[in-house]
Each structure stands twice: as structure tokens, then as C-alpha cells.
Amino acid sequence: MAAILAGAPARPRRLLASRRTRVGMLYALPVVVYLLVLFVYPIFSTVLLSLKDADGSFTLHWYVEALTGVNLSVLFTTLRISAETAVLSLVFGFILAQAISRLKPLWAGVAMLVVVVPHFVSALVRTYGWIIMLGDKGVVNEALPGGPYQLLYNELGVVIGTTSMMLPYTVLLLYGVMRGVDRRLLAAAASMGAGRVTIFRRVYLPLVAPGLASAGLLSFILSLGYYITPALMGGPNQTMIATLINQQVPRRTNGTGRPRRASSCWSSPWPDCCW
């Protein structure tokens, strides 16, 4: 096609290019409409709602309140737990993806099925599974000497649960990157006298670094808005942004889509006593 366009006269070439552009825009139209209706419009409406007071006037009160008091503490808690989840997901995901990438294609496919298939089970079901396993009479506490240990309703339980939810994403991304690494580069480094640590640090790690960055960023972003696992496996001190939003938005809007007037009880992430 490129050769045909290069040898064609200027005017027919422009006509052909413009026709391809129109056809491409026509194909992209359903996707654009889908994104506008189901993504752009809800976010734009939420932003407009956040800039309105109870009487409909412009205000920045909600943003000021979100960055002060207990709300700011919840934000820091969310960032901390998300960072911990991203780091642990990278560590375990790297080890698992590295082991799978060294298998033969058939066994690697089976191993990836074992990693991915549980992800299609409801997150609620998997979370309750972790609650059963980490409970005082669960498998983990029964296997550990000197127990039972408090593994639930604290930050440890939340991080364990969210890491298990993010792990399939990390393994998928890292496996694709590791599978594309040319093993001849590692063999060439070894033939020149480099040790295993040097090969890993100077050759292998730089090649997989883009995958590590992508997997870590994805796990961190997904953890920021995760709701089910932190809400079920954490306590009041592990309240995250998604939980706070779920508590406050229905009460602030009163089901009308318009903000209610601010109240002093919103300084707490557990405002049930106020209503």
C-alpha cells in the first residue's frame, strides 16, 4: 500500500488518504461514543457536582475538607497501603513470573492458567476465603506455632488480601516482558565471565525494568480505588478512600444528586451516629 501511494499522482493520493481517514473515523466512532457516554460524562458530572454547594453556588469547600482532618489521614492510609501492595505484588509477581518464564511453553501455559483462572472468581468470594484462612481457627493460624495471631481487621490483613487480588495483573505483565527477553544476551554475558549477580543486575534487570514499572504502577493505581477487600478485612484504622466515598456520598447527596450542607460530623470517617 505504501508503494502504491508513493507511485500515485498527488491528487489521487490525497483522495485515497482522505478516504482512509474517513473510514478510520467511522470505525472509531462507536468507541468514541462509548467512552463519552460511560466514561467522560460520569467523570465530568462528578467534577461539576464537587464544585457546587447545597444551594448550587460555586465552592471549593469539598476539596478543602478532603485535604484536612481525618480525610487527609484516610488519604495517607490509602497511599501507604497501596504502596505496600504494589511492592509486595512486584516481589511475589517477579518470582512467580520468572519461574514460569523458564518453563517449557506447555507447562508455562498450565501455570498461567493456575494464576489467572482464580481471578475470574468473584472478588467477594475470594475475600471471604482469605477471611476464613486467616481467622483464629483458620488454616494459617492452625499451621503457625504459638498462635493464634491477629491476621485480620488490621493493616496486615488488608495488605495480604489486596496483594492476592493484584498478583494476577503483575504476573501477566511481567511474564509477557520476561518471555520476550533474548536469552542469548544472558549467555553472551556469561561467556565473557560475568557472574549470575552481575548478569541479573547489568543485563536482565534493565531489560525487564519497563515491565516492573508498568506492573507496579498498575497495582498501585488499582489498589487506590479498591473497595471490597479493605472494607471486609480491615478495621477503622484501615479506612481507605473507596470506603470513605461509599459512606459519605449517599449521605451528602441524600439520593438527589445535589450536595447537602456540610456538617461537623463529616470530620469522622464513621459518621453513622450523625444520621
Side-chain angles (χ1 to χ4, degrees), residues 262-275:
S263 173
S264 59
C265 61
W266 290 116
S267 60
S268 169
W270 306 98
D272 295 331
C273 60
C274 300
W275 304 98

Side-chain angles (χ1 to χ4, degrees), residues 95-115:
I95 296 172
L96 189 56
Q98 169 69 6
I100 296 175
S101 66
R102 302 177 71 90
L103 298 175
K104 293 181 179 180
L106 176 61
W107 293 110
V110 174
M112 288 303 297
L113 282 177
V114 173
V115 172

Side-chain angles (χ1 to χ4, degrees), residues 127-231:
T127 300
Y128 275 116
W130 276 110
I131 292 175
I132 294 172
M133 289 179 60
L134 299 177
D136 291 343
K137 301 296 183 180
V139 176
V140 176
N141 266 316
E142 291 291 338
L144 293 176
Y149 299 98
Q150 185 62 37
L151 302 177
L152 286 175
Y153 313 120
N154 50 30
E155 190 161 324
L156 176 61
V158 173
V159 173
I160 291 175
T162 52
T163 300
S164 70
M165 301 299 169
M166 300 300 123
L167 197 57
Y169 300 107
T170 307
V171 173
L172 281 173
L173 282 172
L174 293 180
Y175 173 77
V177 174
M178 292 176 177
R179 202 69 177 178
V181 172
D182 192 347
R183 297 287 173 177
R184 292 176 298 180
L185 298 174
L186 309 182
S191 67
M192 297 179 67
R196 291 186 177 182
V197 176
T198 303
I199 293 174
F200 176 81
R201 182 173 57 88
R202 299 288 297 274
V203 180
Y204 189 73
L205 194 58
L207 291 175
V208 300
L212 288 171
S214 300
L217 185 61
L218 179 64
S219 298
F220 180 76
I221 292 175
L222 291 178
S223 299
L224 287 176
Y226 209 65
Y227 172 73
I228 295 177
T229 302

